Amino acid sequence: MHHPAGSGIHHRITDLREQIEYHNHRYHVLDDPEIPDQDYDQMLRELERLELEHPEYARSSSPANRIGAYPSRGFSTVTHATPMKSLGNAFNRQEIQDFNRRVRELIHSDHPVEYIAEPKFDGLAVSLRYEKGWLVQAATRGDGTQGENITQNMRAVLKDMTLLQNDSVPDELEVRGEVIMLRQDFNDLNEAQKRSGQKPFANPRNAAAGSLRQLDPSITASRPLRMFCYALGEVSRDRKFKTHGESLEWLQSVGLPVSDQIETVQGFEGCLEYYEKMLANRDDCPFEMDGVVYKVARLDWQAQLGFTAKAPRWAIAYKFPAQEATTQVEAIDIQVGRTGAITPVARLVPVFVGGVTVSNATLHNRSEIQRLDIRVGDFVIVRRAGDVIPEVVSVIKSKRPANTAAYAFPGKCPVCGSKIVYQGEEVIARCSGGLYCHAQKVRSIIHFASRKAMDIEGLGEKIVEQMVTEGLVDSIADLYRLDANTLSRLDGKAEKSANNLVDAIDKSRKTTLARFIFALGIPQVGETTADVLADAFADLDHLMNASEERLIAVPDVGPIVSRDITAFFDQTHNREVIRDLLELGIEFPGKEPVFEMPQWSESAEPGSPFLNKTVVLTGTLSIPRDRAKSMLKQAGARVTSSVSKRTDYVIAGEQAGTKADKAKSMGVPLLDEDRFFHMLGHRE
Ligand code: IVH
C-alpha cells in the first residue's frame, strides 16, 4: 500500500495503535474478540513495519512492542519469574526454511537440527508454580511480564494435579502450558448456554478464556477445561535434561498432562512432514489447533540461541490457514430444500478462508438470525472449518454501517408463496407447499436423478430447472414420459444430447430397491437407511404398508425416522407417483428379506470378529465405501450411518470427522483402515 509521506503516515500509525488497543482489550480483557486473529495480526504487522521504517514515530508505549494486553482488574497481579514470551509466526515453507537456516547458522551445525514438533494449542497460556509439589500460584500470560493471579481457578482445573507426589519433583517448579476446551465439550457447553438463555461462545478458545477468567472459581470448576503442558519455566530448568523432549517426558512422568501428538522430527523436511500430517488431521483432533510449533530439541542449543525482545530464537509457530475471515453481507436469501426445509443464507463479498473462496454462508434458522442480529451491509466473521458448510460466527457491530434494518424473516415461502410452518421447537421452518412449490419440485427431481439414487447422467440442476419451468416435467414420473423431440425444444438442447438424456433416463429404469427408496426422497432416509430398509423388507409393498412399530424394529431406524416414512407413504400423491413409476417400467430384482434373521449373514465365516456387530463407516478409505460395506456385510456386520450406544465399531478412514469424534467421546472403539483389514483377515 502506498502512503503519503509525513503526517499521513503518522496518522495511520496512531490509527493502528488505537485499533490494536481496542482489539487487545476485547481479546484479553473481555474474552470477546470482535475480529479474526488474522485481521489483528495484519494490523500489528503493518504497525511494526511502519514503526521500523519511520523510527521518528516509534514509541516505547506502542502496542507493537508489547505482548498481549495488560492484566485486567478483578484479579491480583503476578509478576512472572521469567517473562512469558510469545512465538514468532511462519505462514509458509519459506519462512520455516529461513528459521531453520538461522538456527543452523547460529549453532554452527552442518547436520539437520532435531526439533520437537508440537500442536499449537488454541487456548490461553498459563504459568504454574509448584513449591514442594504444591500448586502455589497460577497466572495468565497477561502482558508477558505481569499476569493475573488465577490460582484458585487453576486448582479447579487441575484437580488432583494440584499436588505432585513424585520424588523427582524439585522444591521449586514452574510449568507452562495452555488451557483449552475440547471441541465436544465446547459444543455441549454452548448448547447449555443457549438453553439457559445465555450468550454462546464464539469458539473453544473464547469459551476456555471466558471460563478460566471467572472471578468466582466455582464457575470455573463447573466448566470442562483441560490443560496441556508444553514447557518448564526457568526456575526448574535443571541441568539433568539434555533435550526439551526429555523435559516433556518428565512432566508426564510426574502426572502433568502432555499432549500425545508431540513428536521428534529431523530438520526442515521433518518439520514439513509433521505440518502436513497435523493439518490433514486438524478436523479430527479433539481440540482446536491453529498451527504447529517447532522447538530446537537440545537445551544447550536453546540457551545458545536465546531470545529476541519478544520471542525465542529456538522456536517458531507454523500457522495453519485461517478458518475465519471478515467480509460483508450483500444479501440474505432464503433457500428451500427438497423437503421444504427453509434455510436462510448470507450472500457475501467473496473471501478466501479455510483454503477456499467463500461467497455463501448458512445462517441455519430464524433464531440464529435473531441471535446474530445480522443485517444486509454488516461486516461479519465467517468460518469455514474442514468440509463443514461455511457459517457466520458473529457480526462486527462496531463496523455496522448507518441505516441498516433488522432482517424480517418471511412468513411465506419466497418461491411459491405458501405459508411457512414450524416443526420441532419452532426451529425448523418448512414451506407448506409440498410438491406444489417449484423449489421443492426441482430439488426432489435433482435428488431422484442423482448418482447414488437413480443415477441419470446428464440430468443436472440447470436442465431440471428448465424442464419444470417450461412445464415439461411436473413430477419424477414425468421424466419417463419424455421423448427426445419434446426435450430438444429446451433452450440449448441439441438433438444429440436430447437423445443421450432420453437414453440415460431409459437406462435408469433398471435399478435396485435400495436406490429406488433413496431416490424417493423420504425425509431423513439417506443412502444407508434406504439400504437397510431394502434389506429388511425386500419388497416395496411391504415397506409402503409397514407400521411405525415394525419400522422401529429395523436397525438404524428410530421413532422419528419411522414417523417420516409412514407419513410419506400415507400421502396419496406419493403413492400415485410410485404407482406411475412402476407402470412406466421401473424395476428392481427381487430379494429375500433378511429382516428378523438372527444372524446378518449366514455365509459369514465362523469366528468373524464382525459377526452381528453394528459398524459405522466414516472418512475416506482406500477402497470404495460400497466395497467396504459389502465386505463388512459379508463378515456378518450390519452397517449403519450414525454412531450411537449400540455401535460396536467405527471404522475411520482419512479425514474422518464428527462421527469419529462422537465415537471417541462415547467410548466406541475406533478402527483405522489397517486394523479393519487386519480384522477382516484381508491384506489389501
Ligand atoms: S511455547 C517461549 N508451545 O502460543 C515460548 N506455545 O504465540 C513459549 N502456544 O503464548 C511458548 N501451543 O499460548 C508454546 N506447543 C506450544 C504452544 C504454545 C500454543 C501458545 C502459547 C503462547 C503462544 C505464542
Side-chain angles (χ1 to χ4, degrees):
M1 204 195 296
H2 178 78
H3 286 293
S7 68
I9 289 170
H10 191 203
H11 193 85
R12 177 72 186 149
I13 289 179
T14 329
D15 187 43
L16 281 169
R17 281 180 191 152
E18 262 172 35
Q19 286 195 50
I20 290 168
E21 292 289 10
Y22 169 78
H23 292 297
N24 271 344
H25 181 77
R26 299 238 9 174
Y27 187 101
H28 292 282
V29 180
L30 304 180
D31 290 324
D32 186 21
E34 204 182 44
I35 58 170
D37 291 357
Q38 194 191 14
D39 295 13
Y40 174 87
D41 288 344
Q42 208 174 337
M43 284 197 278
L44 195 61
R45 280 192 166 203
E46 187 186 347
L47 178 63
E48 282 167 353
R49 187 176 52 81
L50 290 177
E51 289 192 7
L52 266 178
E53 285 169 5
H54 304 277
E56 67 275 25
Y57 299 132
R59 297 285 176 276
S60 63
S61 64
S62 169
N65 300 319
R66 204 185 321 129
I67 306 168
Y70 297 114
S72 60
R73 280 173 312 224
F75 294 98
S76 63
T77 305
V78 165
T79 303
H80 300 299
T82 45
M84 291 181 77
K85 301 233 178 170
S86 183
L87 283 172
N89 286 328
F91 294 93
N92 52 50
R93 294 160 166 242
Q94 184 62 50
E95 288 171 339
I96 291 301
Q97 197 160 23
D98 293 347
F99 163 77
N100 180 52
R101 185 173 333 99
R102 267 195 318 274
V103 167
R104 283 179 63 162
E105 279 167 12
L106 288 167
I107 58 174
H108 308 292
S109 170
D110 294 331
H111 302 288
V113 176
E114 188 167 276
Y115 293 101
I116 306 299
E118 307 177 357
K120 187 170 192 307
F121 308 101
D122 200 4
L124 73 163
V126 296
S127 183
L128 310 176
R129 259 186 85 90
Y130 284 91
E131 281 175 18
K132 297 196 159 58
W134 286 96
L135 179 77
V136 293
Q137 189 177 79
T140 62
R141 186 170 67 164
D143 67 357
T145 308
Q146 294 191 318
E148 297 150 325
N149 185 341
I150 49 156
T151 313
Q152 289 306 333
N153 297 12
M154 273 316 286
R155 286 196 172 121
V157 176
L158 290 165
K159 305 197 179 80
D160 52 353
M161 290 169 292
T162 305
L163 171 62
L164 304 177
Q165 286 169 305
N166 187 298
D167 292 344
S168 66
V169 176
D171 281 356
E172 276 184 276
L173 172 67
E174 192 174 78
V175 182
R176 287 176 177 176
E178 196 90 350
V179 171
I180 57 124
M181 194 176 283
L182 298 185
R183 262 195 261 257
Q184 185 61 52
D185 290 337
F186 161 76
N187 291 337
D188 294 347
L189 175 64
N190 259 3
E191 283 308 313
Q193 290 281 111
K194 282 185 202 161
R195 262 194 315 262
S196 64
Q198 282 164 292
K199 194 176 156 202
F201 295 100
N203 55 47
R205 200 211 75 86
N206 284 333
S211 301
L212 187 61
R213 298 171 70 251
Q214 290 283 341
L215 290 174
D216 174 0
S218 72
I219 299 180
T220 305
S222 74
R223 301 281 173 81
L225 293 171
R226 307 206 175 203
M227 180 175 180
F228 283 115
C229 300
Y230 53 62
L232 290 175
E234 210 66 29
V235 185
S236 49
R237 273 178 171 254
D238 199 304
R239 253 167 224 90
K240 77 178 174 203
F241 302 122
K242 285 203 178 59
T243 64
H244 174 62
E246 283 174 18
S247 63
L248 291 180
E249 273 163 25
W250 178 80
L251 280 171
Q252 195 157 27
S253 76
V254 301
L256 286 164
V258 177
S259 165
D260 59 7
Q261 306 209 42
I262 296 178
E263 285 176 27
T264 305
V265 301
Q266 308 298 332
F268 172 62
E269 295 295 328
C271 288
L272 290 190
E273 244 170 68
Y274 181 79
Y275 176 86
E276 295 300 335
K277 186 172 90 179
M278 297 297 277
L279 184 58
N281 290 338
R282 184 182 197 179
D283 300 319
D284 280 334
C285 185
F287 53 85
E288 289 208 334
M289 305 180 266
D290 55 344
V292 296
V293 181
Y294 307 118
K295 299 174 181 173
V296 170
R298 273 176 59 170
L299 294 177
D300 56 338
W301 282 349
Q302 285 193 4
Q304 198 178 326
L305 287 157
F307 290 81
T308 67
K310 285 172 84 172
R313 287 196 196 83
W314 43 264
I316 195 161
Y318 188 2
K319 300 276 279 240
F320 288 154
Q323 293 185 313
E324 291 185 357
T326 305
T327 187
Q328 198 173 13
V329 179
E330 286 182 328
I332 296 174
D333 285 349
I334 295 291
Q335 258 174 13
V336 186
R338 166 165 67 81
T339 58
I342 300 262
T343 312
V345 177
R347 308 286 178 205
L348 308 165
V349 175
V351 61
F352 194 72
V353 55
V356 296
T357 300
V358 165
S359 43
N360 301 305
T362 180
L363 293 167
H364 300 292
N365 52 48
R366 183 174 63 170
S367 56
E368 180 70 359
I369 292 191
Q370 282 165 354
R371 184 180 77 76
L372 291 167
D373 180 25
I374 186 171
R375 304 173 179 200
V376 176
D378 268 341
F379 287 87
V380 293
I381 297 176
V382 277
R383 180 176 172 84
R384 183 192 180 270
D387 44 15
V388 179
I389 306 167
E391 58 178 2
V392 172
V393 190
S394 59
V395 173
I396 306 178
K397 299 270 168 67
S398 67
K399 281 205 197 178
R400 175 168 281 170
N403 304 323
T404 59
Y407 178 76
F409 203 85
K412 286 183 176 162
C413 170
V415 178
C416 73
S418 304
K419 197 164 175 251
I420 290 178
V421 293
Y422 289 89
Q423 272 180 354
E425 289 164 357
E426 295 266 306
V427 180
I428 305 166
R430 275 182 206 284
C431 158
S432 58
L435 288 184
Y436 164 75
C437 177
H438 179 87
Q440 293 189 50
K441 212 181 290 179
V442 170
R443 292 263 135 239
S444 65
I445 295 172
I446 292 170
H447 171 77
F448 181 80
S450 65
R451 200 171 52 80
K452 290 182 169 166
M454 302 301 277
D455 195 16
I456 307 178
E457 214 183 307
L459 202 62
E461 190 154 350
K462 213 164 122 205
I463 180 141
V464 172
E465 180 75 52
Q466 270 185 336
M467 285 173 166
V468 176
T469 312
E470 299 282 318
L472 298 191
V473 169
D474 197 56
S475 82
I476 45 182
D478 290 341
L479 290 172
Y480 296 94
R481 298 186 173 107
L482 285 170
D483 58 48
N485 236 345
T486 324
L487 261 181
S488 54
R489 287 214 308 266
L490 287 180
D491 261 8
K493 261 287 157 213
E495 203 178 313
K496 183 159 174 288
S497 73
N499 277 324
N500 285 347
L501 187 53
V502 172
D503 282 350
I505 293 174
D506 185 40
K507 220 174 74 191
S508 75
R509 283 189 162 95
K510 280 204 171 21
T511 184
T512 63
L513 179 58
R515 279 179 177 272
F516 186 72
I517 295 170
F518 176 57
L520 290 175
I522 306 166
Q524 317 247 26
V525 176
E527 212 194 331
T528 307
T529 309
D531 249 19
V532 175
L533 290 172
D535 272 356
F537 291 94
D539 176 279
L540 186 61
D541 270 343
H542 289 165
L543 172 63
M544 286 172 70
N545 298 323
S547 65
E548 274 184 40
E549 292 71 26
R550 169 119 170 111
L551 284 162
I552 291 174
V554 176
D556 214 30
V557 175
I560 297 173
V561 180
S562 68
R563 200 166 315 135
D564 275 334
I565 297 173
T566 50
F568 183 88
F569 289 121
D570 277 349
Q571 284 183 43
T572 334
H573 168 83
N574 289 333
R575 286 182 172 263
E576 279 167 10
V577 171
I578 292 169
R579 192 200 56 214
D580 285 359
L581 284 166
L582 297 176
E583 276 174 8
L584 286 159
I586 301 288
E587 51 179 21
F588 19 82
K591 257 207 274 175
E592 288 302 303
V594 294
F595 185 54
E596 284 169 358
M597 281 193 347
Q599 288 192 349
W600 285 84
S601 165
E602 291 179 326
S603 62
E605 288 168 44
S608 158
F610 290 112
L611 192 63
N612 293 327
K613 296 286 187 239
T614 303
V615 178
V616 173
L617 285 164
T618 181
T620 315
L621 298 165
S622 65
I623 56 168
R625 174 77 66 100
D626 295 344
R627 186 81 207 291
K629 230 187 250 180
S630 58
M631 287 161 95
L632 277 165
K633 285 190 185 171
Q634 198 71 44
R638 62 187 152 251
V639 182
T640 63
S641 59
S642 57
V643 181
S644 76
K645 284 200 302 282
R646 284 178 294 177
T647 310
D648 293 298
Y649 295 113
V650 169
I651 297 169
E654 296 285 310
Q655 266 149 36
T658 47
K659 285 183 193 173
D661 286 348
K662 193 164 172 202
K664 271 180 222 159
S665 73
M666 296 180 72
V668 174
L670 267 178
L671 306 179
D672 64 10
E673 184 168 323
D674 290 347
R675 186 85 201 120
F676 164 47
F677 284 136
H678 183 80
M679 284 172 68
L680 274 177
H682 291 251
R683 302 207 185 268
E684 305 208 11

